[in-house]
Amino acid sequence: MRPPLWTSDEIVAATGGTLHGAPFAVDGVTFDSREVEGGELFVAMPGTAHDGHDHVARALADGAIAALVSRPAADGSDWGPHVLVDDVPAALTALAVAARARMAGPVVGVTGSVGKTSTKEALAAALDRQEPGFTHRSVKSYNNHTGVPLSLARMPRDSRFAVLEMGMNHAGEIASLTRLVRPHVALITTIASAHIEHLGSMEAIADAKAEIFEGLEPGGTAVIPEDTPYRDRLLKAAKRQADAIVTFGGGEADVTATHAVTAEGGGSLVTARLRESELTFTIAQRGDHWVTNSLGVLAVVEALGADLAIAGLALADLGGLKGRGERHRIAAEGGEYLLIDESYNANPASMAATLKALGEERGVSRRIAVLGPMRELGEQADALHAGLAPAIEAAKVELALLVGDDMAPLAGALAGRVEVRRADSVEAATGLLKATVRPGDAVLVKASNSIGLAKLVTAMAGG
């Protein structure tokens, strides 16, 4: 039996809080009462729209063992076991620090403009294949100033590997997160125009991502993409912090694909040259971007001294990720069609990559792209949306179903070149797709998460 995640004594020692009620032990931590399944510490985070203290009673009724709070119940009722602290967010961060301090195994930090969550999942799968059940990872996209502390606080004391994702909207955010995570290996997936609205230039985006190296442990390794105009900028930043630097991608990269072809049934069969070996493996996910992601994964695995062959097996078995390439075969009158769920996030680079993969789908009668806006592009938004037109044409898309007013520049760029239909809402887009789709079609669904195209996927595929 594995030890508890936290005892009340450990929580008190880490946070400086006071215990009220009987001593306890918990096996999970959450600040979302909807996630309570039983056995958790519920962290009553304050917020502008909702205060977690208003949900303590519900969380405890649903099975949480205890709560982390900064005030008594407003109605004077007894919350049951809880630890009272001065500041709940600071206490969660203190738990994160304590969790990282007791972690004896290697920790990997992942960031990047595109592909960080998918790469994090692939890397966690590769490491968990070697130590089944003992690899900890960030869940969902918990990668910000609250998500990273939560992910660390959830890290079991006997973890043998940990893979933690870090994201940002502004300069300085990753610097603070990486000092919590203290990675032994820090990976940047790529640099793209996501968040350019807040950062102003691609150079500033590269610098913000390179902050991840500031938290590297002594002897740490920086893993950076070869195929970016900002490679030398990243190298310069890495040299200030890392003892070793590994590049991955094309050309003269330390880890590169010497051969890559489409595998039977999809995905890619890849032969990779690494620093000290060569590996032939299959990556289950489709698209050239996944070949590049896999090279980043293998670069980290090699840097950790873990088993590359086992990592290759994990990449072959990696299933589709919800909102990030999950594939649904959906019955339709007379057959079925393919729906590719990329609804979680979008920026110009990821749009181009997934559209290219759509164009490479075999055995389809028609390609449909259901696309919504990309966020945080600032003054460049119209131009960047219109700039997707060549990728849509190259992917042999026959119908572009565009959702929202922000897609007007793209509709204009496609006029007379590709059939375009417009929808002013997710619900309208769902209706149009249901009326249009037919057996043999391949449908790509992609937009920034805030657009809510996941609802369209659920309506079409169920679940």
Side-chain angles (χ1 to χ4, degrees):
M1 180 178 294
R2 297 180 71 168
L5 180 63
W6 294 103
T7 66
S8 52
D9 286 346
E10 291 169 332
I11 295 168
V12 167
T15 65
T18 55
L19 173 64
H20 293 255
F24 60 85
V26 298
D27 292 317
V29 179
T30 186
F31 49 48
D32 186 340
S33 60
R34 295 167 298 183
E35 292 183 349
V36 172
E37 295 180 352
E40 296 90 353
L41 173 72
F42 177 70
V43 179
M45 292 287 283
T48 55
H50 302 282
D51 186 337
H53 291 84
D54 296 334
H55 300 277
V56 171
R58 173 186 168 185
L60 294 174
D62 288 345
I65 297 295
L68 185 67
V69 299
S70 61
R71 60 173 173 79
D75 61 3
S77 61
D78 182 8
W79 270 339
H82 62 276
V83 173
L84 183 67
V85 296
D86 292 332
D87 183 301
V88 172
L92 178 60
T93 297
L95 273 184
V97 170
R100 179 62 185 88
R102 70 187 186 186
M103 169 60 170
V107 175
V108 180
V110 180
T111 194
S113 301
V114 181
K116 56 183 174 291
T117 300
S118 299
T119 301
K120 175 258 298 180
E121 292 291 331
L123 180 55
L127 296 174
D128 193 63
R129 188 71 168 251
Q130 312 194 33
E131 296 284 356
F134 288 90
T135 295
H136 177 68
R137 76 189 198 286
S138 309
V139 299
K140 302 181 181 178
S141 289
Y142 282 170
N143 60 22
N144 63 7
H145 65 287
T146 55
V148 170
L150 177 68
S151 295
L152 281 165
R154 288 173 162 176
M155 184 165 60
R157 68 186 73 226
D158 56 357
S159 297
R160 296 172 191 168
F161 294 107
V163 186
L164 295 157
E165 177 183 339
M166 287 167 266
M168 60 87 193
N169 293 315
H170 297 82
E173 290 179 295
I174 288 179
S176 62
L177 297 177
T178 191
R179 290 187 173 95
L180 279 179
V181 172
R182 292 168 38 215
H184 297 90
V185 180
L187 165 68
I188 296 177
T189 59
T190 192
I191 304 298
S193 54
H195 311 306
I196 198 166
E197 177 182 14
H198 302 302
L199 290 154
S201 70
M202 295 296 294
E203 291 78 9
I205 292 172
D207 292 344
K209 298 298 183 184
E211 292 172 11
I212 194 172
F213 305 136
E214 297 177 18
L216 274 170
E217 289 286 270
T221 299
V223 180
I224 67 173
E226 177 77 19
D227 306 318
T228 172
Y230 310 99
R231 168 189 175 275
D232 291 346
R233 199 177 190 94
L234 297 177
L235 276 174
K236 183 178 179 180
K239 286 176 180 177
R240 292 194 289 265
Q241 311 291 341
D243 280 19
I245 300 173
V246 182
T247 60
F248 70 95
E252 300 301 316
D254 299 313
V255 178
T256 190
T258 58
H259 185 68
V261 296
T262 301
E264 184 177 351
S268 299
L269 176 65
V270 183
T271 298
R273 186 196 72 234
L274 293 100
R275 288 178 298 166
E276 298 180 2
S277 63
E278 186 173 274
L279 179 70
T280 297
F281 64 98
T282 299
I283 175 72
Q285 307 299 322
R286 291 163 166 79
D288 293 344
H289 58 299
W290 264 106
V291 174
T292 303
N293 289 348
S294 71
L295 296 174
V297 168
L298 293 178
V300 173
V301 171
E302 186 180 46
L304 293 173
D307 193 310
L308 288 164
I310 290 176
L313 293 175
L315 291 172
D317 291 341
L318 189 66
L321 307 176
K322 187 175 179 64
R324 295 182 172 86
E326 187 174 23
R327 298 163 70 86
H328 301 272
R329 293 283 178 181
I330 302 173
E333 186 175 351
E336 64 178 16
Y337 63 92
L338 170 66
L339 188 147
I340 304 165
D341 178 12
E342 289 277 0
S343 61
Y344 190 81
N345 212 347
N347 56 55
S350 65
M351 279 282 200
T354 52
L355 283 164
K356 184 174 186 292
L358 175 65
E360 294 168 353
E361 286 290 338
R362 298 177 178 179
V364 300
S365 59
R366 186 175 57 155
R367 295 173 179 84
I368 300 173
V370 182
L371 306 177
M374 303 174 288
R375 295 305 193 202
E376 298 184 15
L377 299 179
E379 295 178 354
Q380 300 182 39
D382 285 356
L384 290 170
H385 281 96
L388 297 175
I392 290 171
E393 285 191 279
K396 302 179 287 292
V397 170
E398 294 185 36
L399 170 62
L401 204 170
L402 307 181
V403 185
D405 292 340
D406 291 340
M407 303 302 282
L410 177 56
L414 291 174
R417 300 154 71 179
V418 173
E419 181 184 357
V420 174
R421 297 187 189 178
R422 303 283 305 280
D424 59 5
S425 67
V426 172
E427 292 74 20
T430 303
L432 280 173
L433 183 59
K434 285 182 175 180
T436 303
V437 70
R438 54 184 187 243
D441 288 346
V443 182
L444 170 67
V445 181
K446 191 165 182 65
S448 287
N449 188 45
S450 61
I451 309 307
L453 280 183
K455 297 176 183 176
L456 179 146
V457 174
T458 299
M460 301 300 293

